[in-house]
Amino acid sequence: MAPITLRKSCTIVPTEPTWIGRFPLAEWDQVGTITHIPTLYFYDKPSESFQGNVVETLKNSLSRVLVHFYPMAGRLRWLPRGRFELNCNAEGVEFIEAESEGKLSDFKDFSPTPEFENLMPQVNYKNPIETIPLFLAQLTRFKCGGLSLSVNISHAIVDGQSALHFISEWARLARGEPLETVPFLDRKILWAGEPLPPFASPPKFGHKEFDQPPFLIGEKDNVEERKKKTIVAMLKLSKSQLEKLRSKANGSKYADPSRGFTRYETVTGHVWRCACKARGHSPEQPTALGICIDTRSRMQPPLPRGYFGNATLDVVAASTSGELISNELGFAASLISKAIKNVTNEYMMIGIEYLKNQEDLKKFQDLHALGSTEGPFYGNPNLGLVSWLTLPMYGLDFGWGKEFYTGPGTHDFDGDSLILPDQNEDGSVILATCLQVAHMEAFKKHFYEDI
Ligand SMILES: COc1cc(/C=C/C(=O)SCCNC(=O)CCNC(=O)[C@H](O)C(C)(C)COP(=O)(O)OP(=O)(O)OC[C@H]2O[C@@H](n3cnc4c(N)ncnc43)[C@H](O)[C@@H]2OP(=O)(O)O)ccc1O
C-alpha cells in the first residue's frame, strides 16, 4: 500500500470550561479490556455541496462535544490495588491529519490488514497512563479525494454503546444539529467509588467468568497459545444462510419453542462448534465461550438513558469440544442462551461486590496490547464472541455524507471475534474473527460447509 505521511497532530480541548476533579470509575470500567478500541470510517470525496473545511469542521465540533462529554478529555490515574480513576483535567484529545499517496480502491474488501495500522492513531502504552489521551482521531486524505477517519477510544472509559453515542453526537454537532441525548455521567449509579447497598438475603455466587478459562489439555498455562501467529477473517453469512442455521438450531430438542434462538445465539453456537473442529481438540477438551452483555436494560431499575461508561459484563458458557460437536447446533445455542438468561439484577450486583472485595484488579484486566501474559485469554481452546449487532455502527455523517464503509480496526488476538450487521442492510451479518493461522482455513471450511 502507498505510504501514509502524518502531517499534523494537535490537542483538542473542550471549548468551554468543564468540571475539574477526581472522577471515580465503576468496577466494570476497571476490568476487561482497558486499552483503546479502534474503528475506521471511509468516505468518498466530499461533494461540491459541502461548503465547509473538513478538518476545521471536525476539530471545532470535537471541542464542542467535549464540553458535554468532558470525561473523554481527562486522563486515567493508577490507584493502589490495581485500580484506577479518571482525572477530569480537560487535557484534551488528540487529532491527527495524514495523507496517503494511494486511492481508497487500493483496499480490496476492507478486511483489517496490517496496513490499516497506518490509518489509525497509535497509542504507546509504554508512556505513563496519565499522559495517554482517552480519545484519538486520525483523518487521512487519499489521492483520489476520499477520506478515512479512524477513532481510537479507551475502553477504560466507555463501552461500545457509549463510544458510539459520543461519536454520533460529535457528528450531529458537526452537521449543525443539537445534541440528541445528553450523556448521563454519574457512575455512582453503578456504585463507582461507593459500597453497594446490603443484599436482602445472603447472595449466591455462581460467576464462572472470574475463573481462569480452561487451558489446552496437556498444557499448564496458555503461554504457548498466546505466542501463536494469528490472522483475521471477515466472513459473511447471507440472510438465507442465517435462516438455514437458525431453523437448524430451532428444530433441535434443545430449542425453546416459545422463543426460538436469536441470531446471536445461533451464529455464536455455530462459530464455537466450528472453532472446536478447526482446532482439532480431543473430545474431552474443556472450552469456554466469553459473551459480552449490555446491562443497561437488565439492571433494576434500568440504567438512565445515555449512561456514559462501561455497562457491559462478560459471562461464560462452558462445555467440552466433544459435547459441542457430537450434539446438534441447538445444544451449543442453548448453553449460550442459558448463560445470558442467568444474568439477573442480583447476579450483576454480586459480580460488582466480588470485584470490590478483590485485593487487586490486575488479574481481571486485559492488557493484551502491553504484551502481557496476564489477564483473561479467550484463545485456543476458548473463544470470545461480542455482538455488535445492535450497536449504532453505521451512518456517521459530519456534513459531507455518510461513510461508505465502517469496520473494526485491527484485532490480532486468538479467539477475539465480533459479529456485526452487514452495512448493506440486506439481512446478512459479518463475522470478524481472529484465529491462529494454523486453524483459519479449516475454520472457514466448517463455517460454510456445516450450514
Ligand atoms: C471503546 O471504544 C469503542 C468500543 C467499541 C466496542 C466495544 C464493545 O465491544 S463493548 C460490547 C458491545 N456489545 C454489547 O454491548 C452487546 C450488546 N448485546 C447484548 O447485550 C445482547 O443482549 C446479547 C447478550 C449479546 C444477546 O443478544 P441476543 O441473543 O440477540 O438477545 P437480545 O439482545 O435479547 O435480542 C433479542 C432480539 O431483539 C433484537 N434487538 C435487541 N435490541 C435491539 C435493538 N436495539 N435494535 C434492534 N433489534 C434489537 C436482537 O437483534 C434479537 O433479534 P435477532 O433477530 O437478532 O435474533 C466499538 C467502538 C469503539 O470506539
Side-chain angles (χ1 to χ4, degrees), residues 33-45:
T33 303
I34 58 167
T35 49
H36 292 60
I37 305 287
T39 39
L40 263 164
Y41 298 82
F42 289 95
Y43 296 90
D44 284 322
K45 182 179 176 181

Side-chain angles (χ1 to χ4, degrees), residues 37-39 151 153-155 158-161 163-164 167 246 259 261-265 291-294 298 312 340 386-391 418:
I37 305 287
T39 39
V151 294
I153 308 185
S154 167
H155 212 320
V158 286
D159 58 15
Q161 194 69 39
L164 292 163
I167 303 170
R246 210 161 161 172
R259 175 184 170 273
F261 291 117
T262 64
R263 284 183 302 169
Y264 174 78
E265 290 160 351
I291 303 163
C292 178
I293 299 193
D294 185 351
R298 288 180 164 90
T312 51
I340 296 171
V386 179
S387 170
W388 284 17
L389 285 173
T390 53
L391 290 188
L418 299 171

Side-chain angles (χ1 to χ4, degrees), residues 139-160:
L139 177 79
T140 307
R141 293 170 183 278
F142 289 81
K143 202 85 183 158
C144 58
L147 306 169
S148 72
L149 178 69
S150 172
V151 294
N152 210 355
I153 308 185
S154 167
H155 212 320
I157 288 299
V158 286
D159 58 15

Side-chain angles (χ1 to χ4, degrees), residues 206-381:
H207 291 239
K208 287 200 279 270
E209 59 272 19
F210 297 126
D211 298 343
Q212 174 69 253
F215 304 133
L216 270 183
I217 290 176
E219 292 187 15
K220 62 178 189 335
D221 55 33
N222 51 39
V223 173
E224 287 309 309
E225 292 309 297
R226 283 186 194 255
K227 288 185 198 156
K228 305 252 169 91
K229 196 166 161 29
T230 59
I231 183 166
V232 174
M234 305 284 276
L235 306 177
K236 181 168 172 150
L237 278 179
S238 68
K239 191 173 178 201
S240 66
Q241 286 171 319
L242 259 176
E243 275 164 10
K244 207 167 156 198
L245 274 177
R246 210 161 161 172
S247 57
K248 221 183 209 184
N250 285 332
S252 93
K253 66 178 180 203
Y254 300 99
D256 171 357
S258 67
R259 175 184 170 273
F261 291 117
T262 64
R263 284 183 302 169
Y264 174 78
E265 290 160 351
T266 307
V267 176
T268 306
H270 179 58
V271 172
W272 198 9
R273 295 176 86 233
C274 294
C276 290
K277 289 181 192 174
R279 287 163 164 173
H281 294 156
S282 61
E284 321 71 63
Q285 175 64 56
T287 169
L289 174 87
I291 303 163
C292 178
I293 299 193
D294 185 351
T295 65
R296 284 173 177 75
S297 59
R298 288 180 164 90
M299 298 289 291
Q300 288 304 324
L303 292 184
R305 185 172 148 79
Y307 177 77
F308 188 68
N310 281 284
T312 51
L313 164 75
D314 290 336
V315 298
V316 161
S319 186
T320 61
S321 290
E323 266 191 324
L324 289 171
I325 293 172
S326 62
N327 283 301
E328 47 197 336
L329 171 62
F331 173 73
S334 72
L335 296 182
I336 296 160
S337 178
K338 272 187 212 137
I340 296 171
K341 271 202 207 114
N342 213 10
V343 179
T344 58
N345 191 58
E346 188 183 65
Y347 184 97
M348 294 182 266
M349 291 181 66
I350 296 170
I352 296 174
E353 175 86 343
Y354 175 85
L355 290 170
K356 281 192 184 289
N357 290 334
Q358 290 302 300
E359 185 43 41
D360 199 306
L361 286 185
K362 281 235 162 69
K363 68 172 184 231
F364 303 105
Q365 292 163 351
D366 184 346
L367 298 173
H368 279 317
L370 302 178
S372 164
T373 51
E374 290 175 26
F377 175 69
Y378 278 89
N380 193 17

Side-chain angles (χ1 to χ4, degrees), residues 425-443:
E425 295 182 351
D426 57 2
S428 55
V429 296
I430 310 285
L431 173 77
T433 188
C434 179
L435 293 173
Q436 292 176 15
V437 174
H439 301 146
M440 187 57 96
E441 283 315 308
F443 176 82

